Amino acid sequence: MLNKNVCPNCGQLYDTSLSKCPLCGTAPQVVETADPVQRRRITEAERKQRRADRKEAEQEARRRKRDSRYLEDEEEERLIEEEDALRREEKRRQKEEKRAARIAERNSGATSIPNSVVPSFTPGPARDGRGPMPAVYAERDRRRVPRVFLALSAFVLAAALIVGGSYLLWKLEVVKLPIYDKLAAKKSETVAPTETPTTEAPQTQTTTPSTLYRGEGAIPCTGITLSQTEIVFSEVDEQTQLTVSPLPENTTDEVFFSSSDAAVVKVSPVGIVTAVGPGEASITVTCGEEQAVCTVSCGFATPTAPTLPPDITNLVLVKDDMSFFAPGENFVLSVTNIPAGTPVEWESLDESVCTVDESGRVVAVGKGTTRVVARVGNLRAECWVRCPFTEG
């Protein structure tokens, strides 16, 4: 509608160059317009003030909303508490009525029951502001367990839990508690009697069967040849291999070894001869119906137990408890209360945890706990060895 006028009478559009409407002849109306208002540009300080006012108004609105919600919640809680109080009061009143009814019922029939059976229902002391209560309930309250006994029971239970838990942690090797180690050592000493040196029982030797059974295709032995017919040992536990060559080589008869005195010499089923004690004995080799004999001479003396002064009744180790934290760690144990040069026998009760040599050097091997035993004659001492490290 550029350069067009609208007739206020008939609504006809016509060009602005015409002085009046071509349809109805009405002149166009001139509307006076006011000068446009010049808008002032606000400053940055005014803008900040408006933001602060708007923020303060929002905070005030939120505060009023929160306060109104708190007031509603408090009112609701107050109503709930009042309802609970009324409910409790109603229950208490009902209980008192029932109690009074039972007391009246019991008092009405008390003439036919001995006084020793029916207790007195005289009013007792007041409690919790509820008025006097019957004496039977007061007597019942007096028979309750005192609080001191309850506290004592709780203390005993807590102590039992602490002791049991510490013992369990000690058994699992989580913590180290020397008191349990000493108790375990004393228990082992009382349960197990003092070890005394005993003579090793003679080894059961294989002997020739009383009858020989030869089936079809059997090849009987016709002779035996030994690698040596005389053996001389110079120390205990010395060993040698006795080799047997049966004739013929493809014989089906088995070879058996036997010792004439297992306290002097013993022989294994494969012919390993071991010196046991001083003296002479013979090894008999049997194959089928053939036999061969090898004489054995042990010319050494039986080692005697070391003698200790009469005032030494027990052994004292330089340590009775030690811990290793990596495989290969070691420590040299020694007995401190015996004369210098006295031979000591060392033994590890579990070589998968640690080993010990003849000089008393203890070497960590694997994870676990065991004991190292030192023996001098009939006396012994033990040292606990703990290896809490992780293998690998």
Side-chain angles (χ1 to χ4, degrees):
M1 293 181 58
L2 295 176
N3 300 324
K4 294 289 184 181
N5 286 336
V6 180
C7 179
N9 185 28
C10 63
Q12 177 67 28
L13 293 176
Y14 60 94
D15 192 80
T16 57
S17 62
L18 299 177
S19 61
K20 59 182 178 179
C21 178
L23 183 61
C24 64
T26 304
Q29 294 181 357
V30 179
V31 179
E32 295 182 0
T33 60
D35 294 335
V37 179
Q38 296 295 331
R39 299 183 62 185
R40 184 177 62 86
R41 194 176 187 86
I42 63 175
T43 62
E44 184 65 25
E46 293 176 341
R47 184 178 292 107
K48 290 183 178 179
Q49 184 61 34
R50 290 182 181 181
R51 291 176 181 172
D53 295 343
R54 188 183 306 112
K55 184 176 181 181
E56 184 178 357
E58 292 176 354
Q59 291 178 353
E60 182 65 23
R62 287 196 296 268
R63 188 180 303 111
R64 290 179 180 178
K65 184 177 180 180
R66 184 173 61 252
D67 293 343
S68 63
R69 187 170 61 250
Y70 287 161
L71 292 175
E72 293 176 357
D73 293 343
E74 291 178 358
E75 182 67 18
E76 184 177 357
E77 290 179 359
R78 186 182 64 80
L79 294 176
I80 292 175
E81 290 179 356
E82 290 180 356
E83 292 178 359
D84 291 341
L86 292 174
R87 192 179 300 108
R88 289 194 297 269
E89 182 64 23
E90 181 65 21
K91 289 183 178 179
R92 188 190 65 80
R93 186 182 60 78
Q94 293 177 0
K95 288 182 179 179
E96 291 294 338
E97 292 178 355
K98 292 181 180 179
R99 183 181 302 171
R102 287 198 301 268
I103 293 173
E105 183 180 356
R106 292 177 182 176
N107 287 335
S108 62
T111 55
S112 59
I113 302 177
N115 292 331
S116 60
V117 178
V118 179
S120 174
F121 286 92
T122 57
R127 182 180 62 175
D128 299 337
R130 301 179 184 178
M133 65 178 178
V136 63
Y137 296 106
E139 182 67 22
R140 181 192 62 185
D141 291 342
R142 284 194 295 269
R143 288 198 299 267
R144 288 180 178 175
V145 179
R147 292 184 179 180
V148 63
F149 292 107
L150 295 177
L152 182 61
S153 301
F155 174 77
V156 173
L157 179 60
L161 290 177
I162 293 173
V163 174
S166 61
Y167 181 76
L168 179 61
L169 294 177
W170 175 76
K171 290 293 288 185
L172 297 177
E173 299 179 5
V174 177
V175 296
K176 177 183 176 182
L177 299 173
I179 184 172
Y180 289 122
D181 298 339
K182 294 180 180 180
L183 291 176
K186 289 183 179 180
K187 183 177 180 181
S188 62
E189 290 178 359
T190 55
V191 173
T194 305
E195 295 184 4
T196 56
T198 57
T199 305
E200 183 180 358
Q203 178 183 354
T204 303
Q205 301 290 339
T206 307
T207 58
T208 306
S210 58
T211 58
L212 295 176
Y213 174 77
R214 293 190 176 96
E216 184 178 356
I219 302 175
C221 179
T222 59
I224 300 175
T225 303
L226 302 180
S227 59
Q228 47 189 331
T229 58
E230 185 177 354
I231 300 174
V232 178
F233 290 124
S234 58
E235 59 182 11
V236 180
D237 295 332
E238 187 177 355
Q239 294 181 339
T240 187
Q241 176 68 51
L242 182 61
T243 306
V244 179
S245 300
L247 297 175
E249 294 181 356
N250 60 345
T251 179
T252 57
D253 292 335
E254 296 183 6
V255 177
F256 300 91
F257 298 87
S258 62
S259 172
S260 61
D261 190 353
V264 176
V265 66
K266 60 182 180 180
V267 60
S268 69
V270 295
I272 299 177
V273 183
T274 305
V276 178
E280 294 184 356
S282 60
I283 302 297
T284 302
V285 182
T286 303
C287 182
E289 297 179 352
E290 301 294 328
Q291 289 186 344
V293 178
C294 174
T295 59
V296 181
S297 176
C298 298
F300 52 85
T302 304
T304 58
T307 57
L308 295 174
D311 58 336
I312 298 179
T313 58
N314 63 326
L315 302 181
V316 179
L317 296 177
V318 67
K319 278 189 176 183
D320 60 359
D321 197 313
M322 64 176 64
S323 298
F324 297 122
F325 300 96
E329 291 187 7
N330 60 87
F331 182 82
V332 178
L333 281 176
S334 61
V335 183
T336 60
N337 63 332
I338 60 176
T342 303
V344 181
E345 295 182 6
W346 299 94
E347 179 187 4
S348 173
L349 299 185
D350 189 351
E351 294 190 350
S352 65
V353 177
C354 72
T355 59
V356 60
D357 59 14
E358 59 185 8
S359 64
R361 181 177 297 276
V362 182
V363 181
V365 177
K367 181 179 180 181
T369 302
T370 185
R371 290 173 291 169
V372 172
V373 181
R375 293 186 179 89
V376 178
N378 295 332
L379 303 180
R380 58 176 284 169
E382 296 181 350
C383 175
W384 286 87
V385 179
R386 308 175 189 277
C387 299
F389 53 84
T390 303
E391 298 184 28

